[in-house]
Amino acid sequence: MEYNFREIERKWQQRWTAEKAYRVKTDPDKPKFYVLDMFPYPSGAGLHVGHPLGYIASDIYSRYKRLKGFNVLHPMGYDAFGLPAEQYAIQTGQHPAVTTENNIARYREQLDKIGFSFDWDREVRTCDPAYYRWTQWAFIQMFRHYYDNATGKAEPIEKLETRFAERGTEGLDAACTVPMDFTADEWKAMDGKERENVLQNYRLAFRADTLVNWCPGLGTVLANDEVKDGLSVRGGFPVEQKRMKQWLLRVTAYAQRLLDGLDKLQWSESLKEIQRNWIGRSEGAQVFFGLKGHAEKLEIFTTRPDTIFGATFMVLAPEHELVPQLTTPEYRKAVEAYLEETKKRSERERIAETKRVSGQFTGAYAVNPFNGAEIPIYISDYVLAGYGTGAIMAVPAHDSRDYAFAKHFSLPIIPVVEGGDLEKESYDAKEGKLINSDFITGLDVKEAIRVMFAEVEKQGLGKKQINYRLRDAIFSRQRYWGEPFPVYYKDDIPHTLNEDKLPLELPDMQDFGPTETGEPPLARAANWKTQEGYPYELSTMPGFAGSSAYYLRYMDPHNDRELVSKEANAYWRSVDLYVGGIEHATGHLMYSRFWNKFLYDLGYVCEDEPFKKLVNQGMIQGRSNFVYRIKGTDTFVSAGLKDGYDTQEIHVDVNLVRNDVLDLEGFRKWRPEFAGAEFVLEDGKYVCGWAVEKMSKSMYNVVNPDDIVENYGADTLRMYEMFLGPLEQAKPWDTNGIDGVHKFLRKVWRLFVDKAGDVAVTDEPPTERELKTLHRTIKKVSEDIENFSFNTSVSAFMICVNELTEYGTRKRGILEPLTILLSPFAPHIAEELWEMLGHRDTVLNAAFPQYNPEYLVESTVEYPVSFNGKMRFKIALPATADAGAAEAAVLADPAAAKYLDGKTPKKVIVVPGKIINIVV
RNA sequence: GCCCGGAUGGUGGAAUAGGUAGACACGCAGGACUUAAAAUCCUGUGGGCAGUGAUGUCCGUACGGGUUCGAUUCCCGUUCCGGGUACCA
């Protein structure tokens, strides 16, 4: 009986499905553990071998935790709404509902072959009305709440209305779009529309007329994380800044909490750093500068108030509201020309030309509040309207951008901090002593900053202020394939639907493409209005809406009264382990945390952070293969000989190549143009060249997991993906070497089955040597799983099986625990072997074996080395031995005694289980 | 530009509270079995030099320094590679 992985895997997959072996229920008697994968976007291309990497790792961990006695929630679903699904649908001319359904079916088929322990009864799909009613519900809650900085949480909007009626905005500290100031009487005098406009300024889901990322290629606006280098992340279309009225989520209200929360999370430092940078907290001072000949003041933001004596000019963003007012008649023409020029430059050009210095003097002067100096006011597009106040004091001596500007316009450069060489460049470092700075001269920079913060407030020139780079999330998309907003308009005032009207279902439209007028596709939907005839919102929600709370829905997926019941949420709480790609750092992982914190404020969830521990699996890159055609011929030359010819490098399908050796017949059949190919071989083989590239169809380097499963089995695929290297590291997929893992599983099989094909397990008691091998493996494997070091645990298995094979071990006492140990990695073969051992229950019901430290004792001193009066011994110690016990063991060891030669050691340095230094 | 990682045989990678560098696997070479091939198994495999040989010896963890009895590991500097971010004041 050979290791027939096809039959074994089919058998157990069917049995797990039939028995619903991985179904999980809340169980107060067991500790819970929630393991989550980032659910996939069901694209048309299907899964390649890179996709399951994280799923395999989380599946191993889930199975391990189950064996350790935890009640493990390990669900899976589909992120099925959004741009890529819609783009794919438009390209193929099919309805997105149809393509999505097909793609999901294909994904499911592929996933099932790999033997995951998902509880499929909990599957969610973001495009399912029963699911997205809770996305709409959350939106309504955000619409009905505002963020009160005084209480530090979201509060009902009614509370704000009551406050306005009683006191107006007096004493209000709430997150808002623009600061407002009105009295109770003024509020009472407002009509419904005016009041709503005020409330929109505070609601957590709100409409605003702001600069947005408009992508003409996709016909929609995009959030900041969906744009990179001026291009859309999806599709790579140019994106421009445009003023439009859009729905937004007031994510910035939570900026500080999103930042603080990171400290509690077990995420990689690099991921936390990305989020910290994205939030971009900067502590500085708001300072008002006087304006020569004007009553108004000019408000600026600076993180370096200590350098205020070195400010030699001011710069305003071209869009700054004071520009028209400040510009003097003689400069009006030049200023208008500059404004015209900057308007024409696209966002992309502006980014590409960041080194180019441009700007225009306005003719106006500001007055430095500390020394009365009159300094010229410029406009320039290196100052952004959207950050701080859109105006800066320029200190060319200590800011590189100001420096470049000053050099270009020959403006004075006054050093106020010692250090650096101002002939060459500015001195930006926050260290050194202040000079030329009146009362702060001689202070250290850090001290000077502190003094100036205090001084600015004392003199009433401004106050300390914290700015964030984080922007509110643009939440509407002018597309079809997304959640409809539960919003209708009455006299142009937005109203949310009553919760009992949810879900508001997406109308089934055959013509779902972009409209010619630029309106969203829903504009074409018949009867897209309430029963009373009020029109619904035409935009739909963005891709991240559906993925922001899916982890909560898995806790209680069939509840039609709540997103998640209090009981289910109190039991499962939050995700203990989240595995997924780092590309979601500034998107999904930010929005989910925001969404969760909001629901936490409202008391719907009991944890304020959704994902306790997060592991980023590295991307699997493609490994392409090449053949070398001699130019102008049909002859292909092997890689080792190609230097002797003038050749052309051609990508060849990696599935025609094994261990870099080309399947010649397969190649001839691959494409008609190669049917007559001739080959120049080396050592009778055609060796291909290779390179690491992105995995893509055009490089012919896509490896489909189905093919691997077909040829080697799911267990081999699972173990090989883990063996490939550290989980978090990016690495190329390389099928070379998969034989080694497959060979390992066959060796495991042969421990149970003899040459004649019979199960040959004995009940003989194991020897000490066999037990040592087993317990060492148990220790190594369990520690490695806890540390996510799956590649080294696979190695540990290989060493173990090599040793057992050498001993000829077929003993139940060894093989039984080994089977359990192996089951998280290779569950199918483990189940089969478990059954062979005579167990009728599944290996799942077993307990993970514990190692016994007694069997980890090494037998003798391995080697003594003597130098300079010190000796080193590797000695035999239980892993649990403390320093005292280890020292005693050394002194008692006859070999050590021999080398000590009767002398008393001065000092014994002991590392239990490891190395001992003896200083004689 | 700034921030964060990383660099170990022909290849993927082990080993870092400093202590036998190269586990495990691939590949390669040789051998066994076989009419043959595949599969399987065994042996060898960082490099140089010396030796018939067991073996000995020197050099080796990107490069240059430093600390230490001892450095892949710690410190300083340099080069290259990967990722994030970018007129954010």
Side-chain angles (χ1 to χ4, degrees):
Chain A
M1 190 166 54
E2 264 303 297
Y3 168 41
N4 187 341
F5 56 86
R6 288 194 190 89
E7 204 172 285
I8 292 169
E9 289 175 3
R10 194 177 330 113
K11 168 180 164 187
W12 286 99
Q13 284 170 11
Q14 279 170 2
R15 203 157 134 188
W16 293 331
T17 307
E19 292 176 357
K20 291 191 187 277
Y22 301 108
R23 192 168 49 176
V24 61
K25 289 182 178 155
T26 56
D27 179 354
D29 296 335
K30 270 184 167 181
K32 70 96 188 184
F33 203 88
Y34 187 176
V35 180
L36 183 65
D37 294 290
M38 290 187 187
F39 62 170
Y41 215 108
S43 82
L47 294 172
H48 63 62
V49 288
H51 293 115
L53 181 73
Y55 303 160
I56 294 170
S58 64
D59 196 59
I60 290 172
Y61 202 78
S62 302
R63 288 173 180 273
Y64 167 76
K65 278 288 182 183
R66 270 185 210 111
L67 293 169
K68 282 273 187 186
F70 287 85
N71 193 26
V72 177
L73 176 57
H74 189 214
M76 185 43 88
Y78 304 97
D79 186 15
F81 260 147
L83 264 174
E86 186 167 359
Q87 287 296 96
Y88 179 76
I90 291 171
Q91 278 159 25
T92 59
Q94 289 169 283
H95 196 276
V98 174
T99 57
T100 301
E101 186 71 34
N102 291 344
N103 293 346
I104 286 176
R106 166 110 178 90
Y107 267 56
R108 177 64 193 273
E109 198 185 315
Q110 287 187 295
L111 289 172
D112 280 348
K113 286 184 183 168
I114 304 173
F116 292 120
S117 60
F118 296 127
D119 177 1
W120 283 107
D121 283 2
R122 290 175 183 261
E123 178 192 314
V124 300
R125 300 177 183 194
T126 54
C127 63
D128 178 354
Y131 175 88
Y132 67 65
R133 70 178 286 185
W134 301 109
T135 310
Q136 294 173 330
W137 169 83
F139 174 85
I140 293 173
Q141 305 312 312
M142 289 180 199
F143 183 83
R144 293 180 185 167
H145 287 80
Y146 75 104
Y147 195 88
D148 194 329
N149 289 321
T151 59
K153 66 190 193 72
E155 302 280 358
I157 200 84
E158 291 78 22
K159 200 176 145 189
L160 193 61
E161 290 177 284
T162 310
R163 185 195 182 103
F164 286 158
E166 285 168 1
R167 289 187 278 162
T169 54
E170 196 208 325
L172 178 69
D173 184 10
C176 58
T177 315
V178 288
M180 284 188 158
D181 191 11
F182 55 82
T183 64
D185 288 338
E186 283 170 321
W187 168 259
K188 284 175 196 154
M190 291 180 197
D191 65 18
K193 191 160 181 175
E194 285 167 330
R195 283 188 185 182
E196 179 55 31
N197 281 340
V198 169
L199 294 177
Q200 287 283 333
N201 193 49
Y202 296 93
R203 294 183 190 278
L204 286 171
F206 63 104
R207 273 205 322 168
D209 206 9
T210 56
L211 280 179
V212 297
N213 308 301
W214 170 252
C215 180
L218 294 168
T220 183
V221 298
L222 297 169
N224 281 4
D225 64 284
E226 294 169 323
V227 181
K228 214 192 151 188
D229 299 330
L231 299 174
S232 66
V233 172
R234 295 284 180 187
F237 299 103
V239 172
E240 53 195 53
Q241 297 294 303
K242 201 171 160 184
R243 194 163 278 278
M244 287 174 82
K245 197 159 204 177
Q246 296 293 334
W247 282 98
L248 292 105
L249 299 186
R250 204 177 300 285
V251 179
T252 51
Y254 286 82
Q256 190 61 48
R257 279 169 64 186
L258 289 168
L259 188 64
D260 294 342
L262 289 172
D263 296 336
K264 294 181 292 192
L265 301 175
Q266 299 168 56
W267 294 12
S268 73
E269 257 328 293
S270 62
L271 177 53
K272 288 192 205 176
E273 203 54 32
I274 292 172
Q275 288 214 340
R276 284 191 193 109
N277 291 340
W278 189 257
I279 295 166
R281 182 185 205 267
S282 81
E283 223 169 277
Q286 161 208 51
V287 183
F288 286 95
F289 274 61
L291 290 168
K292 192 182 168 194
H294 291 265
E296 284 108 328
K297 302 266 181 184
L298 177 61
E299 184 188 352
I300 60 118
F301 174 75
T302 179
T303 55
R304 293 293 301 274
D306 57 310
T307 62
I308 199 162
F309 292 98
T312 54
F313 57 102
M314 310 293 282
V315 187
L316 307 187
E319 301 88 349
H320 196 281
E321 54 175 10
L322 287 177
V323 172
Q325 215 176 316
L326 288 176
T327 305
T328 58
E330 57 174 322
Y331 286 96
R332 189 156 306 274
K333 251 192 140 143
V335 165
E336 277 167 7
Y338 183 75
L339 293 179
E340 201 51 42
E341 186 196 321
T342 50
K343 222 182 243 172
K344 266 193 280 179
R345 289 174 77 196
S346 72
E347 187 71 0
R348 268 183 81 201
E349 283 166 345
R350 220 173 58 78
I351 290 167
E353 298 173 11
T354 51
K355 289 287 164 281
R356 198 183 81 174
V357 178
S358 75
Q360 174 59 46
F361 180 45
T362 59
Y365 289 85
V367 182
N368 187 326
F370 280 91
N371 60 7
E374 293 185 359
I375 55 181
I377 301 175
Y378 281 74
I379 56 170
S380 173
D381 62 3
Y382 85 88
V383 174
L384 305 177
Y387 184 79
T389 59
I392 62 159
M393 66 170 195
V395 185
H398 306 293
D399 182 285
S400 56
R401 297 151 303 177
D402 298 345
Y403 183 86
F405 196 86
K407 282 281 178 190
H408 189 260
F409 289 98
S410 306
L411 292 161
I413 298 173
I414 305 173
V416 289
V417 181
E418 262 178 359
D421 177 5
L422 293 180
E423 287 304 308
K424 281 192 276 183
E425 57 184 3
S426 61
Y427 178 70
D428 295 13
K430 279 192 186 178
E431 48 194 53
K433 287 227 176 317
L434 272 290
I435 51 174
N436 303 329
S437 295
D438 197 346
F439 60 94
I440 52 170
T441 297
L443 294 181
D444 182 73
V445 167
K446 299 220 166 67
E447 180 62 22
I449 291 176
R450 229 180 347 260
V451 169
M452 287 306 285
F453 276 146
E455 201 60 27
V456 163
E457 292 198 3
K458 197 173 110 194
Q459 299 194 22
L461 299 169
K463 57 176 196 265
K464 204 168 162 178
Q465 203 176 51
I466 290 156
N467 264 329
Y468 300 94
R469 211 184 65 103
L470 186 71
R471 292 282 95 101
D472 288 329
I474 301 162
F475 199 63
S476 36
R477 298 290 179 273
Q478 289 66 43
R479 303 290 297 219
Y480 168 71
W481 193 237
E483 300 86 349
F485 280 75
V487 167
Y488 62 92
Y489 293 90
K490 208 155 121 182
D491 303 326
D492 207 30
I493 300 174
H495 295 265
T496 50
L497 288 178
N498 272 330
E499 287 169 24
D500 60 10
K501 293 276 195 322
L502 298 182
L504 175 61
E505 290 199 37
L506 188 66
D508 184 13
M509 294 165 63
Q510 287 315 304
D511 186 11
F512 52 82
T515 62
E516 280 165 23
T517 56
E519 274 189 306
L522 283 178
R524 279 197 297 249
N527 292 320
W528 188 236
K529 53 193 176 207
T530 63
Q531 280 175 347
E532 297 78 24
Y534 298 118
Y536 285 130
E537 167 68 43
L538 299 179
S539 309
T540 56
M541 296 186 193
F544 65 80
S547 58
S548 288
Y550 76 112
Y551 56 90
L552 292 171
R553 191 60 182 163
Y554 281 137
M555 295 175 183
D556 194 9
H558 307 296
N559 190 334
D560 57 6
R561 292 184 312 279
E562 299 156 287
L563 168 65
V564 53
S565 73
K566 280 255 180 327
E567 301 73 49
N569 183 251
Y571 182 73
W572 296 112
R573 306 193 74 83
S574 64
V575 176
D576 295 288
L577 172 69
Y578 197 21
V579 179
I582 197 155
E583 65 272 18
H584 298 105
T586 55
H588 161 62
L589 289 173
M590 286 298 265
Y591 298 123
S592 268
R593 293 183 60 219
F594 157 76
W595 206 282
N596 190 83
K597 283 180 188 298
F598 170 71
L599 294 177
Y600 173 78
D601 284 354
L602 270 54
Y604 290 110
V605 301
C606 61
E607 295 277 356
D608 77 330
E609 283 289 344
F611 315 119
K612 254 197 258 176
K613 182 179 167 75
L614 190 144
V615 174
N616 295 118
Q617 88 275 20
M619 201 181 60
I620 297 226
Q621 298 144 309
R623 187 179 186 279
S624 313
N625 277 115
F626 303 105
V627 292
Y628 303 93
R629 173 153 66 186
I630 301 171
K631 281 186 182 162
T633 71
D634 257 351
T635 304
F636 295 81
V637 57
S638 185
L641 306 171
K642 73 177 163 65
D643 290 347
Y645 302 85
D646 182 17
T647 58
Q648 177 194 5
E649 188 178 76
I650 299 172
H651 275 97
V652 61
D653 190 339
V654 292
N655 296 298
L656 295 171
V657 178
R658 200 168 159 186
N659 291 343
D660 287 334
V661 175
L662 182 67
D663 168 9
L664 303 181
E665 273 318 299
F667 182 70
R668 288 199 182 100
K669 280 185 206 144
W670 183 38
R671 296 164 132 215
E673 65 208 87
F674 299 140
E678 296 295 326
F679 301 97
V680 179
L681 306 178
E682 53 183 314
D683 303 329
K685 290 176 295 198
Y686 189 97
V687 180
C688 297
W690 61 274
V692 173
E693 296 173 306
K694 193 174 147 53
M695 198 171 272
S696 89
K697 275 185 181 166
S698 60
M699 314 272 192
Y700 299 106
N701 60 5
V702 175
V703 182
N704 188 314
D706 302 2
D707 295 337
I708 304 287
V709 169
E710 180 57 29
N711 293 328
Y712 296 95
D715 287 336
T716 300
L717 173 71
R718 291 168 63 103
M719 290 198 94
Y720 186 57
E721 291 225 11
M722 294 301 103
F723 187 61
L724 220 45
L727 186 63
E728 307 210 359
Q729 185 180 304
K731 58 223 161 215
W733 174 264
D734 182 355
T735 313
N736 299 346
I738 197 165
D739 287 328
V741 172
H742 192 62
K743 213 183 283 182
F744 157 76
L745 287 173
R746 278 204 302 257
K747 282 185 194 169
V748 172
W749 182 259
R750 279 200 304 274
L751 287 176
F752 292 74
V753 176
D754 63 19
K755 280 214 169 96
D758 299 320
V759 178
V761 180
T762 71
D763 287 330
E764 214 182 317
T767 64
E768 172 132 358
R769 192 172 61 159
E770 290 165 337
L771 286 167
K772 275 185 179 172
T773 295
L774 174 70
H775 286 264
R776 202 175 53 228
T777 309
I778 294 172
K779 178 167 191 278
K780 176 77 176 145
V781 168
S782 38
E783 283 173 359
D784 283 350
I785 294 176
E786 292 287 2
N787 297 326
F788 282 82
S789 180
F790 298 117
N791 56 329
T792 50
S793 43
V794 176
S795 293
F797 276 121
M798 289 177 171
I799 294 168
C800 174
V801 168
N802 285 346
E803 287 180 12
L804 295 180
T805 304
E806 192 189 316
Y807 307 156
T809 306
R810 292 189 192 280
K811 293 170 186 165
R812 170 180 296 273
I814 299 294
L815 297 184
E816 205 161 84
L818 185 66
T819 304
I820 302 166
L821 199 59
L822 187 63
S823 67
F825 292 83
H828 310 86
I829 191 173
E831 291 276 22
E832 183 71 14
L833 297 174
W834 188 247
E835 202 178 57
M836 280 186 193
L837 288 167
H839 296 286
R840 302 178 71 187
D841 59 335
T842 144
V843 70
L844 267 174
N845 300 324
F848 199 81
Q850 294 284 308
Y851 67 86
N852 181 346
E854 296 211 351
Y855 292 115
L856 299 172
V857 176
E858 297 292 333
S859 52
T860 54
V861 172
E862 279 189 7
Y863 59 91
V865 181
S866 168
F867 54 89
N868 291 6
K870 299 185 187 186
M871 279 180 278
R872 179 179 54 186
F873 293 87
K874 186 164 187 179
I875 201 170
L877 288 171
T880 51
D882 63 10
E887 185 176 333
V890 172
L891 297 179
D893 192 285
K898 186 178 145 207
Y899 280 90
L900 280 168
D901 196 21
K903 283 174 268 186
T904 314
K906 280 187 199 146
K907 194 176 165 196
V908 180
I909 305 158
V910 177
V911 180
K914 275 189 94 180
I915 300 296
I916 294 99
N917 282 340
I918 302 176
V919 184
V920 182

